[in-house]
Amino acid sequence: MNRTTLSLIAAATALAAVTGFAALTAPDTGGTAAAQTLARLPVERTSQLCPAPSVSDVAETTYTSITPAGTADAGTEGSAELTESVVTLVDAADDKAKNGTDAAGTKKDPAKDKPFVSLKEPGKPVSVEASGAEAPALVGTATGRFAPGWTTQQTTTVSVGDARGVLGLSCTAPDTDFWFPGTSTERSRQDYVHLTNPDDTAAVADIELYGKDGAVKSEVGEGIPVPARSSVPVLLSTLTTVAEADVTVHVTTRSGRVGAAVRVADSAGGSDWLAAAADPASRLVLPGIPADATDVRLVAFATGSDDADLKVQLAGADGTITPAGSESLHIKSQMTATLELADITKGQAGSLILTPAEGGRAAPVVAALRVVRGKGDKREIAFIPATAPIASRSTVADNRAKGSTLSLTAPGATAKVKVTASAGTGGGEPAEKTYTVKGGTTLAVTPPVPGGLKGSYALTVEPEPGGGPVHAARTLALPEDGVPMFTVQTLPDDRGTVSVPKAREDLSILDDRG
């Protein structure tokens, strides 16, 4: 036995003593199927980012956070906390930033701040309120038993002004690539891309704009610095001199990672958050168009080198139909296209399904809907980005005793879905109900409400095994002074578990045959 073999064995012995060494081995042909199956284990750490909610002095914001109960093998330790982030104000015209200030220009040191939101137990939501333009951007981390499915909802109500309305957003996870079809650089719109960095090192982001004729010229959307543990709002109209009614925004990072969301204010009435759309695909589902929508506009962008031809269908309560006059949409490569759908739902809640048109190219696209409720000066807007199906579980927080509607869409086969209402932020007993969603339909329901509810609560949606894919969205309606103010949040999978290869101890890798 040579010196190399002895050194390897010594190292392996020490590693086994410290970590319980297990070597990953390629499955051999004689192995059992069970030995080759990937295990699903709960995640041990996750991050969330909540952008600064409003610049209005009359804004009222509620942050509601929860980790669903009942995640197996999640352990007994851990925490979930959100702390205030520095807001860095960027002026794209002169590329200068006011670093280290909040929205009011006050110096802040988030590292010394106490947690703004902190969970005590999984299954029990916590709610914190803030008023005015000083409501903070938040960055946070959950570990251990609090990590799987951790969700925070940020709901803001602005009662007066051009930006009046309800703005709702499920706080985002950090990433390096985001698509936002449905933005605008017109004078009637004030669209801010909020970039939030959760890490201790700076990130650098690029913002690309695409209109009906392709890329919108901009020389100041490149290399935007996002300082450590900071949030940077960027007004889209300062990135270009071109006024476009419908723009697709692409956010990428050159270094680091960020959370991204777009805050929209429309002087014609209403405001809301536009969350990132699902990854580019040739088949998309946009769930949860309210039954009383008075105007719906589809905005889509072909991300690849090929044009896309889409078949447009509406999945309603009784089945899937092709809307007359809006049967298809042609999208040129690297261009934004729109389709006016008017009051497509005709009094029944529905979801839009986009698939490759017969004989058309199956090119990847991203898409979102701008939805209007009400008319004239009594109108309000919200956005519904395309969303992926729920693979295992999804949770949405801040549901109220009245005003919450859950939309479940099964674009293919029939599915069964278990919906669990958590305890309330101020008390109440969890409730549960199972729904059957027929293939090709959208089921819009008033979700279960906890018994003896006090405060708001969370909904956890879990498709049962064996059924078709399910896409979901929650509408929260908070009408005020005759304005049907509302917001819609889609429910992508919470990614609370990850696939882990099975491993076994195998010291044969230390065999020195050379």
Side-chain angles (χ1 to χ4, degrees), residues 426-487:
E429 295 297 321
E432 181 182 301
K433 191 169 183 178
T434 299
Y435 300 93
T436 297
V437 189
K438 295 181 180 179
T441 70
T442 293
L443 177 66
V445 298
T446 299
V449 177
L453 172 66
K454 294 181 180 179
S456 62
Y457 66 101
L459 289 171
T460 297
V461 180
E462 300 172 274
E464 295 187 356
V470 175
H471 303 252
R474 186 280 311 271
T475 299
L476 178 63
L478 300 174
E480 186 172 327
D481 294 332
V483 179
M485 299 198 302
F486 75 116
T487 183

Side-chain angles (χ1 to χ4, degrees), residues 207-278:
I207 300 177
E208 300 172 312
L209 309 178
Y210 297 90
K212 64 181 185 304
D213 298 319
V216 177
K217 185 178 180 180
S218 173
E219 297 179 356
V220 290
E222 298 181 353
I224 298 172
V226 187
R229 298 185 66 82
S230 295
S231 186
V232 174
V234 180
L235 180 60
L236 288 183
S237 60
T238 65
L239 300 181
T240 179
T241 59
V242 179
E244 289 264 3
D246 297 288
V247 172
T248 298
V249 169
H250 189 203
V251 175
T252 56
T253 60
R254 299 185 183 189
S255 62
R257 56 182 190 156
V258 297
V262 179
R263 190 180 70 217
V264 174
D266 188 344
S267 62
S271 60
D272 207 346
W273 287 99
L274 170 59

Side-chain angles (χ1 to χ4, degrees), residues 195-509:
L195 307 173
T196 307
N197 178 3
D199 299 321
D200 294 329
T201 57
V204 178
D206 292 335
I207 300 177
E208 300 172 312
L209 309 178
Y210 297 90
K212 64 181 185 304
D213 298 319
V216 177
K217 185 178 180 180
S218 173
E219 297 179 356
V220 290
E222 298 181 353
I224 298 172
V226 187
R229 298 185 66 82
S230 295
S231 186
V232 174
V234 180
L235 180 60
L236 288 183
S237 60
T238 65
L239 300 181
T240 179
T241 59
V242 179
E244 289 264 3
D246 297 288
V247 172
T248 298
V249 169
H250 189 203
V251 175
T252 56
T253 60
R254 299 185 183 189
S255 62
R257 56 182 190 156
V258 297
V262 179
R263 190 180 70 217
V264 174
D266 188 344
S267 62
S271 60
D272 207 346
W273 287 99
L274 170 59
D279 291 341
S282 59
R283 297 172 181 270
L284 298 173
V285 177
L286 300 89
I289 307 172
D292 60 351
T294 54
D295 187 68
V296 178
R297 176 189 291 174
L298 169 65
V299 183
F301 176 77
T303 61
S305 57
D306 293 327
D307 294 356
D309 291 290
L310 298 178
K311 180 180 181 181
V312 179
Q313 294 179 294
L314 179 72
D318 302 318
T320 301
I321 64 169
T322 300
S326 303
E327 299 87 353
S328 63
L329 178 64
H330 177 75
I331 313 170
K332 294 182 179 180
S333 171
Q334 299 286 297
M335 296 185 186
T336 297
T338 62
L339 184 62
E340 297 292 348
L341 298 169
D343 55 343
I344 186 174
T345 53
K346 305 295 184 183
Q348 288 190 347
S351 303
L352 212 63
I353 299 176
L354 306 177
T355 57
E358 186 174 351
R361 293 186 179 95
V365 299
V366 291
L369 297 173
R370 189 207 66 178
V371 179
V372 176
R373 295 177 69 217
K375 295 182 179 180
D377 61 356
K378 299 294 185 180
R379 57 176 247 152
E380 160 73 320
I381 62 170
F383 296 90
I384 303 174
T387 187
I390 302 173
S392 178
R393 182 183 65 180
S394 185
T395 298
V396 61
D398 195 13
N399 295 278
R400 314 292 173 92
K402 295 181 179 180
S404 294
T405 301
L406 180 65
S407 293
L408 305 169
T409 302
T414 295
K416 283 191 175 181
V417 180
K418 183 177 75 171
V419 178
T420 303
S422 74
T425 53
E429 295 297 321
E432 181 182 301
K433 191 169 183 178
T434 299
Y435 300 93
T436 297
V437 189
K438 295 181 180 179
T441 70
T442 293
L443 177 66
V445 298
T446 299
V449 177
L453 172 66
K454 294 181 180 179
S456 62
Y457 66 101
L459 289 171
T460 297
V461 180
E462 300 172 274
E464 295 187 356
V470 175
H471 303 252
R474 186 280 311 271
T475 299
L476 178 63
L478 300 174
E480 186 172 327
D481 294 332
V483 179
M485 299 198 302
F486 75 116
T487 183
V488 181
Q489 279 71 58
T490 57
L491 278 71
D493 192 81
D494 66 15
R495 299 181 182 179
T497 60
V498 292
S499 296
V500 180
K502 286 187 177 293
R504 63 182 175 84
E505 186 176 350
D506 185 3
L507 295 181
S508 66
I509 63 172

Side-chain angles (χ1 to χ4, degrees), residues 65-69 76 78 80 118-126 145-146:
S65 189
I66 186 172
T67 294
T76 58
S118 180
L119 294 185
K120 302 300 182 183
E121 291 288 337
K124 295 182 179 180
V126 172
R145 63 182 179 138
F146 291 94

